[in-house]
Amino acid sequence: MATVPFSFEVYPPRSSDAAPALFEAIDKLSSLGPRFISVTFGAGGSDTKNSIEVLDYILKKDVRALAHLTCAGTTRSSIEKLISEFEAAGVSDFLALRGDLPAGQEQLPEEALSTAADLVSILKKRSGSIGEIAVAAFPNGHPESGIERSDIDALLAKQAAGADYAITQLFFYANDYFDFVSLARARGVNIPILPGIMPITSAKRLERVLELTGERNPIELSDALSTAQNNSERIEIGIDWAAKLVSELISGGAPGVHLYAFNEHERVTEVLRRAELV
Ligand code: FAD
C-alpha cells in the first residue's frame, strides 16, 4: 500500500451535545494514521477553550495536532498570550491565518496585525517549542487577490517569514491545483503545497461552501448532486468526485492530501479507501 501522507481538518463542536460525536470521529480518524489533524479557530463562533479541548484530545491519541490561529484585528500582545495558552496545552504546530474581520468592521484597529505573514513572524521569533508552521494558499486566488494574484505575493511573504508549508483552500479540479503550483513556483514559492479536498455530498452544502470561499461552481458536480434521486446517491457522487480528485493529485505529484472532514469519519475514510491510500 502506498505511503502517501494524508491529514484531516475538524472544527470545535458547536454545542456540548455535538462533542461526543466529534471525539468518536477523531478516534476513528486517528486510527487511520494521519500525519496530523487540524482544528479550526474562530470560524462559526468557536472560542479558544473549545479549540484547545479538541487539540488536547488529538494529542492524547498520539497524533500531531495543528492549531489554526487567526490574527486579523488582534494586537501583538494578545496574540502572544493566545499562543502561550496553546503552548501550555502542548500544542506546537500552527496554521497561521489572517482570518476575516467581523462583518461591519472594515478598518483594522491601530496596532492590529493585518496579515498572516505577521503571525508567522511572531511564531518564528518565539523562544518556546514552536514546531511546524503552515499557512493558507488559494489555487483559484483569494477573493481579495484580483488578476495580479496578490495571494501569491502573500504566500511569498509568508514563506519569507518562515512558513514550512501551505495548505490549500478547497477546489474541484486537479488542474486548478497543478496550474497554481506551477504559477507559484514560477513566482518563487518553494515550500510544499498540500492540496485541501472536501467531499461534498449535497447541493445545499456545495452552495454554502461556494458562498464562503468564493470558488467557481463546478457545474458537473452541482448538476449531478441536484439531479440525484436520493441521499445515498448524493453521498456516492460526492465521495466518488473527491476520491477521483485525490487519485489525480497524488499521481500528478502532490505531496499528500488534506481532507476537510466535517467532523465525521465515514466519508473521508471512504475517499481515502477508494483512492487506495488506506
Ligand atoms: P493573508 O495571507 O494575510 O492574505 C490575505 C490577502 O491579503 C491575500 O490573498 C492578498 O490579497 C493580500 N495580501 C496579504 N499579504 C500581502 C502581500 N505581502 N502582498 C500583496 N498582497 C497581500 N479562517 C478562520 O477564521 N478560521 C480558520 O480556522 C480558517 N482556516 C482556514 C484553513 C485553510 C486551509 C484556508 C485556506 C483558509 C482558512 N480560513 C480560516 C480562512 C482565512 O482566514 C481567510 O481566507 C482569510 O481571508 C485570509 O487569510 P490568509 O491567512 O490567507 O491571509
Side-chain angles (χ1 to χ4, degrees):
M1 195 163 288
T3 52
V4 174
F6 53 84
S7 51
F8 303 108
E9 176 187 292
V10 296
Y11 53 85
R14 303 228 156 100
S15 70
S16 52
D17 290 354
L22 169 62
F23 291 142
E24 196 195 322
I26 292 174
D27 292 346
K28 296 273 174 31
L29 295 174
S30 299
S31 71
L32 298 173
R35 189 169 177 276
F36 62 83
I37 299 178
S38 79
V39 181
T40 66
F41 181 82
S46 65
D47 62 17
T48 312
K49 187 170 159 285
N50 280 343
S51 286
I52 289 181
E53 225 170 86
V54 180
L55 290 158
D56 179 57
Y57 191 84
I58 294 167
L59 289 170
K60 288 197 173 114
K61 293 272 141 197
D62 273 334
V63 172
R64 219 171 169 139
L66 179 72
H68 296 206
L69 206 55
T70 59
C71 67
T74 317
T75 60
R76 173 177 283 270
S77 62
S78 53
I79 204 87
E80 292 275 10
K81 193 163 155 273
L82 193 57
I83 298 167
S84 299
E85 280 181 56
F86 279 94
E87 281 185 311
V91 176
S92 55
D93 299 324
F94 292 92
L95 171 56
L97 298 153
R98 184 195 69 179
D100 293 312
L101 283 175
Q105 191 184 339
E106 272 92 46
Q107 286 269 272
L108 284 174
E110 222 173 300
E111 293 177 34
L113 303 170
S114 57
T115 68
D118 295 338
L119 181 51
V120 175
S121 304
I122 290 173
L123 285 163
K124 209 65 196 167
K125 284 186 190 128
R126 283 178 71 89
S127 52
S129 52
I130 298 294
E132 290 184 335
I133 304 176
V135 290
F138 299 83
N140 292 314
H142 183 275
E144 290 164 36
S145 71
I147 49 162
E148 326 72 46
R149 293 298 303 260
S150 64
D151 59 302
I152 298 183
D153 297 320
L155 187 52
L156 280 168
K158 294 184 271 199
Q159 172 178 284
D164 295 299
Y165 67 100
I167 304 176
T168 76
Q169 180 63 280
L170 65 89
F171 58 90
F172 298 98
Y173 300 97
N175 274 346
D176 291 355
Y177 171 81
F178 292 121
D179 291 350
F180 169 66
V181 171
S182 301
L183 184 62
R185 298 284 178 249
R187 283 173 61 170
V189 175
N190 51 37
I191 54 175
I193 301 174
L194 188 58
I197 293 127
M198 184 182 286
I200 298 205
T201 52
S202 79
K204 196 163 161 237
R205 180 168 288 176
L206 177 61
E207 200 181 304
R208 178 82 183 122
V209 299
L210 296 180
E211 202 180 287
L212 285 173
T213 60
E215 285 295 307
R216 283 190 312 267
N217 188 12
I219 303 291
E220 298 92 327
L221 177 60
S222 85
D223 283 354
L225 288 172
S226 44
T227 53
Q229 298 300 307
N230 53 45
N231 215 26
S232 51
E233 220 177 274
R234 283 185 278 276
I235 291 173
E236 186 60 24
I237 290 164
I239 290 176
D240 226 52
W241 184 285
K244 183 167 163 279
L245 184 53
V246 168
S247 299
E248 288 172 5
L249 290 165
I250 296 305
S251 54
V257 284
H258 183 63
L259 291 165
Y260 296 104
F262 264 107
N263 286 13
E264 61 99 57
H265 64 93
E266 282 166 353
R267 292 171 201 187
V268 285
T269 304
E270 187 56 20
V271 169
L272 291 175
R273 201 191 59 72
R274 289 188 196 182
E276 298 181 14
L277 299 194
V278 295

